[in-house]
Each structure stands twice: as structure tokens, then as C-alpha cells.
Amino acid sequence: MVMSFRVSELQVLLGFAGRNKSGRKHELLAKALQLLKSGCSPAVQMKIKELYRRRFPRKILTPSDLSMLHIQAGQLPSATALTQGTVCHLPYEHGAAAVPAALLPPVPVLGPKHETDVQHLSPPVHPVHPDVKMKRLPFYDVYDELIKPTTLASTNSQRFEEAHFTFALTPQQVQQILTSRLAAAFCECHHSLASFSLLLLRFCLCETSCPQEDYFPPNLFVKVNGKLCPLPGYLPPTKNGAEPKRPSRPVNITPLARLSATVPNTIVVNWSSEFGRNYSLSVYLVKQLTSVTLLQKLRAKGIRNPDHSRALIKEKLTADPDSEIATTSLRVSLMCPLGKMRLIVPCRAITCTHLQCFDAALYLQMNEKKPTWTCPVCDKKAPYDNLIIDGLFMEILNSCTDCDEIQFMEDGSWCPMRPKKENQEVCQTSAFSGIEADGWFSSAASSLYTVSSEGKNSSEGKKKVEVIDLTLDSSSDEEEPPAKKQCPVSSMALP
């Protein structure tokens, strides 16, 4: 059965078994035969039968025909025996049966060199599928893993490396992508509600210690089906002499992919090798989500109990016996630091230690455009899985609609902080009116005028200086004094 498979069936089989799917047909066939010799699982056996039925739907397999999957190592017929002989004897459980070669599916002819490759198949130097886990992306739900994380290992000492990969789509996967395209084209509100099925190409460091973020190899070039794949642009360098770096995000290769169940897709990767550092490549079929969907999922998670925030307030306002300064109140704004608007869905990360919240809808919209997942209050990481809606702030926003700032007390209670501009204006107006009513300003000006006049009479011999009278604009009820007076003393100003 395996010998009759085409390239696409061999790739599907090897990908299902977690083996490397790259290479020419004779290499793929050698890997598939090696998979059988090493003993395959029942799931792989079922996959072989399924692919064979798709390959030859008219041929009816009897239970005795299917028993050939239990062949042990050393019992597989060689390629020369299948091609040179007219009758092929296959080991069945219920006795050997002679099957004419004309009834068998066509078998590819392998040369002597390729037969040697099949018999002496050496394991790869580097692990093809290391235990690398990619970090989950909030805006994507993974449907299928088309290429498992595969090592981009250095094969020689050259500066630039090249690797080839292939993956095939099933008819269901092709139909899924096409259906999502049609739904998006005819959906009026697809910008906010519709979801798309995409093919994502992801790179990361070949590390198994923890889930890895997207990380591009240096000097990376990718071709999908012979067409150059656009990659995210370089970020501005953080310091002089630093090597430019691309932002950490996946690459959408759906526009370049062949949406066909019969023709496989090819990926060619070129990058610069680095000593002691390897990278990993993987391809996924995903469903793209929107910020509206994530907000609905966040609401469905529930709202944090208001008592949790009250306990946090009491903890912050508890007097420290070793400190001479005690904080008795805490002021918090009801405005979102992102949009400078009143909060609607107040949230923050469970790892944040501050009480100030930000609006969940704005935060998700910003990360949909440019995913940074950084808290706008403390600049620490605030991933989607750590977000929580604050129940206490929800109560405050619903009960207090006429102020933008509140003050928390030591016992966890709060009070609104309304603006005092009107009160200040009233105080300033009344104080100024009182000054004019008491006549203090006029008396002070008159006293200054008197002092200046007396100084003139007592110090006739001193050098005279020009003094501008400050009482001209004091009051319209008084008589207009002289415009200028010569005074021997220096200029004086009202306090």
C-alpha cells in the first residue's frame, strides 16, 4: 500500500506520524518504509488504510488484505521483487496468496542507489520534531498543525542556510478556508464579528524549557510556492550598533498558498546561521478572532468579587508602624489612560499591584492592531489570559455618574472627588469684593502717596527720581491724583 502512494499521500502520512515531510519522492518513500519497519501505531495503520482507499476507491479490501499492515521488520517485499516479478507473494495471516502483478497498483521504480538508501536509512543528526511548544496567541484558535515545530538546523559551516518544507491540505481544510472567505466577503459587519480561517507560518527559538514566542532568524527570506513571502518590517534599533529585529508575530501565508487537496505547498527558507543557536518552523491552520470576540470571552470569564479590591485598598492604606508618614486615602481616576474617556469595562491584569483600571475594549482594540500586551498604567506585561474585570469599579461606575475621580478611605469605602473650580471662583470673587468694600486697597495707596509726599518735604537735597503713581487704576470714585510726582525715595510696590 505504501509503495503505491504518491508524493501527496506520503507527505500526509509522514506528517500524521510526526516525521519530516521534506524531500523527493524516493526519500519520502524510504522514510515511510522505515516507519513501517520500526513498528507503527494503530492510528498510523488506520491512516495508511484511509489514504489507500482514497488512492484506489474502486478496489475493495478484504480483511485478509488489511492484515499486511502487521508485517514485522524484514518481511517487507523489496522494490526489485515488486517490479521485476510478474507475481508477488504477500504474507497474509490466512495463508499466502498469489496476486498477479497486473492487479497491483503501479509501483515506482527505484534505482540501485535509492534501494541502498531504503535499506541503510540513517537517522537525522538533529531532531526533526523537537519538543518545542509555541506560545498561544489570543487572536487565533488553532484548528490543525500542518507542520509541527521543525528544527532549522545548520547543515554545514556556510554563513547562509536553506531548508525546504512541504505541506498538504485535506479537502475539508480547503473547504474551510474558502467558506470563511465567502462569509467575510458577504458579511456586512465582518470587520468586528466575522472570523477567518488562515494559514500561519511561525518561527521561534529551538528551546524546550517553556512555550516560545515568535522569533525570526537573522537575514530571513521565505518563499511560498516560489513567491517571496512578505515579512513584518524591522523595528527601529534600540541602541547604536544593535542588529535590527523584526516584531514578534506570525506570518499569514494564506494568499500565497495553493488551496488544493491534490497539489502540495512548498516553503523555502533562507537564513543566516548562528553558532550555538537553532530556530524552529511550524505551520498552523487557525481561526482568526476579533477584539469583539475576545471581549465577549473576557466577560464570560466573570467579574472579580468587589471584596477582593476592598481588601487590596485596606492593605495599601494600612499604617506602617516603622514609617513616620501614614497614607490615609487614595485617589483613583475613573478615566481610561488609553482613550482619556470614562471607563466602560474596567479591567487590569491579576499581576498588577495598582488599583487604577483601563478599559478592556480599548485595550483589546489596540492589541488587535499592534499586539504588545503591556499594561498602560505600570508598563508591565498584561497578557490576555491574565486580564480580569474589577467588580468594585463596576459598582462605582454604575452608582457615580457625575465625577471622574474618587477617593478610597482606610476602611475600603470611597467618596467622589468633584471639581472645586466653581467654589474657588466664588471665594476669589467674594474676597476681592471684600477688599474693595473695606477700602483697604485705597487706604494703602493713600498711605504710600503720603509717605512719598513726606519724603519729598524732608529730603529736598536728595537726587530726585521719577515715580509712577500706582493709584491711577485703584478706584474711579476718588479724585484723580497727579500723573507724575518727583520723589527722592526709591520706587515701592504693593505686596
Side-chain angles (χ1 to χ4, degrees):
M1 291 181 181
V2 173
M3 295 285 288
S4 66
F5 285 169
R6 297 168 297 186
V7 173
S8 58
E9 283 97 2
L10 292 172
Q11 290 172 343
V12 172
L13 174 62
L14 293 173
F16 180 81
R19 301 297 179 90
N20 188 4
K21 301 185 294 184
S22 61
R24 298 180 181 275
K25 183 174 182 179
H26 68 274
E27 297 172 347
L28 299 176
L29 185 61
K31 295 174 186 176
L33 295 177
Q34 181 67 21
L35 176 66
L36 287 180
K37 286 184 180 181
S38 61
C40 54
S41 63
V44 176
Q45 297 177 15
M46 294 298 296
K47 192 67 176 178
I48 293 176
K49 290 186 284 186
E50 176 189 349
L51 293 173
Y52 189 79
R53 289 193 185 98
R54 292 182 187 176
R55 180 80 171 88
F56 304 102
R58 295 180 181 178
K59 179 175 173 54
I60 301 176
L61 297 179
T62 63
S64 59
D65 294 336
L66 300 179
S67 64
M68 66 175 293
L69 291 175
H70 300 283
I71 299 171
Q72 299 298 325
Q75 293 180 336
L76 280 174
S78 64
T80 54
L82 290 175
T83 54
Q84 294 176 358
T86 58
V87 176
C88 176
H89 295 277
L90 299 178
Y92 292 108
E93 289 182 354
H94 304 286
V99 181
L103 299 180
L104 289 176
V107 178
V109 180
L110 300 179
K113 179 178 181 299
H114 298 154
E115 289 184 20
T116 306
D117 294 341
V118 173
Q119 297 173 1
H120 306 284
L121 190 66
S122 59
V125 179
H126 297 278
V128 177
H129 297 293
D131 192 19
V132 175
K133 300 295 182 184
M134 295 293 297
K135 185 169 287 188
R136 193 181 74 85
L137 299 175
F139 284 100
Y140 300 101
D141 281 345
V142 177
Y143 282 146
D144 291 303
E145 196 175 34
L146 302 179
I147 297 181
K148 293 184 178 182
T150 306
T151 307
L152 294 175
S154 301
T155 56
N156 47 41
S157 58
Q158 296 180 0
R159 171 65 175 162
F160 296 98
E161 301 286 346
E162 182 175 303
H164 297 256
F165 301 89
T166 57
F167 68 92
L169 297 174
T170 64
Q172 293 80 7
Q173 293 169 347
V174 173
Q175 186 65 28
Q176 184 177 348
I177 298 175
L178 294 176
T179 304
S180 71
R181 283 187 177 181
L182 292 175
F186 290 99
C187 183
E188 297 178 357
C189 53
H190 69 276
H191 291 290
S192 59
L193 297 178
S195 59
F196 306 90
S197 295
L198 304 175
L199 297 172
L200 288 189
L201 172 66
R202 302 185 68 180
F203 294 89
C204 71
L205 291 173
C206 194
E207 296 288 342
T208 59
S209 57
C210 61
Q212 296 296 305
E213 292 184 347
D214 292 84
Y215 194 89
F216 290 99
N219 300 321
L220 178 68
F221 292 93
V222 179
K223 283 187 176 182
V224 179
N225 297 320
K227 298 179 182 179
L228 191 63
C229 179
L231 301 175
Y234 286 102
L235 295 173
T238 55
K239 56 183 179 180
N240 294 333
E243 188 172 347
K245 181 183 175 183
R246 299 183 188 273
S248 301
R249 64 185 63 175
V251 182
N252 180 15
I253 61 173
T254 314
L256 303 178
R258 297 190 184 105
L259 300 182
S260 170
T262 57
V263 183
N265 292 271
T266 61
I267 300 177
V268 180
V269 182
N270 296 91
W271 77 100
S272 297
S273 61
E274 294 179 289
F275 179 75
R277 173 177 285 186
N278 287 330
Y279 297 89
S280 181
L281 172 145
S282 53
V283 176
Y284 302 90
L285 174 63
V286 301
K287 175 184 178 182
Q288 185 180 16
L289 307 178
T290 62
S291 59
V292 176
T293 307
L294 290 190
L295 182 60
Q296 294 173 352
K297 294 171 65 175
L298 181 61
R299 288 179 181 272
K301 259 175 41 174
I303 301 176
R304 171 173 278 185
N305 195 312
D307 292 336
H308 187 281
S309 297
R310 291 192 183 98
L312 182 61
I313 295 168
K314 294 178 182 179
E315 180 182 350
K316 286 181 174 292
L317 297 181
T318 300
D320 187 2
D322 298 332
S323 176
E324 297 180 357
I325 302 175
T327 305
T328 58
S329 63
L330 190 64
R331 299 177 66 171
V332 178
S333 174
L334 299 181
M335 305 290 286
C336 176
L338 290 172
K340 307 302 179 185
M341 299 170 60
R342 186 178 171 87
L343 292 170
I344 299 177
V345 186
C347 79
R348 62 174 177 269
I350 56 177
T351 53
C352 292
T353 58
H354 51 79
L355 285 170
Q356 179 67 52
C357 294
F358 49 85
D359 191 76
L362 289 177
Y363 185 70
L364 294 176
Q365 288 174 13
M366 292 185 66
N367 283 280
E368 186 178 16
K369 301 296 182 183
K370 185 179 180 182
T372 58
W373 301 106
T374 304
C375 175
V377 179
C378 62
D379 287 335
K380 295 181 180 178
K381 285 295 182 181
Y384 175 75
D385 293 335
N386 291 351
L387 297 182
I388 192 71
I389 300 177
D390 193 289
L392 178 59
F393 274 80
M394 289 292 290
E395 291 182 356
I396 295 172
L397 290 169
N398 293 332
S399 60
C400 182
T401 58
D402 58 344
C403 72
D404 298 331
E405 193 173 22
I406 59 171
Q407 185 172 6
F408 289 112
M409 303 304 176
E410 294 180 1
D411 59 350
S413 61
W414 61 275
C415 63
M417 299 292 294
R418 291 183 173 84
K420 297 182 179 180
K421 292 182 179 180
E422 297 179 359
N423 298 336
Q424 292 176 354
E425 290 177 359
V426 171
C427 294
Q428 291 175 359
T429 305
S430 60
F432 188 70
S433 301
I435 291 175
E436 288 187 340
D438 294 340
W440 181 87
F441 186 88
S442 302
S443 302
S446 302
S447 301
L448 178 61
Y449 178 75
T450 306
V451 170
S452 301
S453 302
E454 291 176 357
K456 178 182 177 182
N457 297 330
S458 60
S459 309
E460 291 287 344
K462 293 185 178 179
K463 184 178 180 181
K464 297 181 180 180
V465 295
E466 184 176 283
V467 177
I468 299 175
D469 198 340
L470 300 177
T471 63
L472 293 178
D473 299 330
S474 61
S475 175
S476 59
D477 298 334
E478 298 179 0
E479 295 181 3
E480 185 175 353
K484 294 183 180 179
K485 296 187 73 68
Q486 300 296 327
C487 181
V489 298
S490 59
S491 301
M492 297 179 64
L494 285 175

